[in-house]
Amino acid sequence: DVKVTQSSRYLVKRTGEKVFLECVQDMDHENMFWYRQDPGLGLRLIYFSYDVKMKEKGDIPEGYSVSREKKERFSLILESASTNQTSMYLCASSQLAGGTYEQYFGPGTRLTVT
Amino acid sequence: DAKTTQPTSMDCAEGRAANLPCNHSTISGNEYVYWYRQIHSQGPQYIIHGLKNNETNEMASLIITEDRKSSTLILPHATLRDTAVYYCIVRENYGQNFVFGPGTRLSVLP
């Protein structure tokens, strides 16, 4: 089974702190994604990566950056956390396989910025 | 712009079939219909997808109308653990990301 893990389930940080959210997948997938999920807004794509050291902006990249130094690991960085970045953060990975394109999600990190 | 519309919520009795509808009247010829679900406090889980033929797997069945403007996800024997938000997503198979709308909150009742 595909497994996507995230470094923390719950995280509390202060305004202005630098925050790292880590995601690791064990299925050799090329594509990895970071979403945030907020009530009433659904899932919104922040960044994605289709290869090592490659990254593409999603719909809401402002205030975030990402790093993909190894194929299995995709990090989301909040350079200076703000209260409006309090949210559930979801990582996903996928591989184009036989024409299908399912994304597999991690359990999520609930980040609170105070 | 939303590509799909789903009811906000539905109830289903335990052991009965749950039929979750989705309208996607603007779907184009190369777009697939995907279904995911999200159980409380977990990440979304892939259920099934299809292009124009009906599909079945161990979790569910997907019925797509002939004109492809709507579809129905069927959970044949709903259990309490199927209580979740169900998302219907329309997407080209070679696109990069999924756009999740608000989904349907399914409550399976004992």
Side-chain angles (χ1 to χ4, degrees):
Chain A
D1 284 349
V2 176
K3 193 163 185 185
V4 180
T5 57
Q6 295 182 228
S7 50
S8 306
R9 289 302 306 272
Y10 300 94
L11 207 53
V12 179
K13 295 291 183 181
R14 294 189 181 276
T15 300
E17 277 193 84
K18 190 169 186 176
V19 182
F20 292 87
L21 302 182
E22 303 284 341
C23 175
V24 178
Q25 50 94 3
D26 66 358
M27 285 302 291
D28 202 35
H29 285 172
E30 278 78 27
N31 303 316
M32 296 188 74
F33 306 80
W34 274 106
Y35 295 86
R36 64 177 282 179
Q37 184 174 28
D38 301 286
L41 296 177
L43 274 75
R44 293 179 291 168
L45 182 67
I46 305 172
Y47 268 97
F48 65 96
S49 168
Y50 52 87
D51 202 352
V52 176
K53 296 192 185 294
M54 304 300 289
K55 61 183 179 184
E56 294 285 344
K57 292 180 180 179
D59 299 320
I60 51 163
E62 296 79 20
Y64 304 94
S65 62
V66 290
S67 173
R68 185 120 182 249
E69 296 297 319
K70 294 184 177 181
K71 191 175 185 180
E72 67 272 17
R73 188 179 298 270
F74 192 35
S75 302
L76 180 70
I77 303 155
L78 287 66
E79 294 290 342
S80 178
S82 63
T83 55
N84 63 11
Q85 292 178 311
T86 291
S87 186
M88 169 72 91
Y89 290 87
L90 290 158
C91 175
S93 73
S94 71
Q95 183 179 37
L96 186 63
T100 62
Y101 203 98
E102 301 119 56
Q103 285 191 5
Y104 297 89
F105 285 81
T109 296
R110 187 166 294 281
L111 172 67
T112 301
V113 182
T114 61
Chain B
D1 289 340
K3 288 189 171 183
T4 65
T5 55
Q6 299 176 252
T8 303
S9 63
M10 293 180 63
D11 292 339
C12 176
E14 188 179 16
R16 304 295 295 268
N19 297 281
L20 291 94
C22 179
N23 288 322
H24 31 80
S25 59
T26 61
I27 192 170
S28 63
N30 58 347
E31 287 182 317
Y32 284 68
V33 180
Y34 284 78
W35 284 84
Y36 279 75
R37 73 179 182 183
Q38 188 172 21
I39 296 169
H40 183 62
S41 296
Q42 297 182 23
Q45 177 190 22
Y46 166 80
I47 302 173
I48 199 167
H49 75 283
L51 183 63
K52 50 186 172 182
N53 297 323
N54 297 337
E55 302 287 343
T56 296
N57 63 20
E58 65 278 5
M59 290 183 69
S61 295
L62 174 61
I63 308 298
I64 303 174
T65 58
E66 194 169 339
D67 63 7
R68 303 210 320 124
K69 292 186 177 182
S70 65
S71 61
T72 301
L73 178 76
I74 301 172
L75 307 178
H77 304 286
T79 71
L80 299 179
R81 290 192 294 181
D82 292 322
T83 292
V85 178
Y86 286 77
Y87 299 97
C88 170
I89 301 159
V90 164
R91 205 205 60 165
E92 290 183 14
N93 211 31
Y94 293 90
Q96 289 291 3
N97 64 294
F98 287 83
V99 178
F100 286 74
T104 296
R105 183 173 298 278
L106 175 69
S107 298
V108 180
L109 307 174

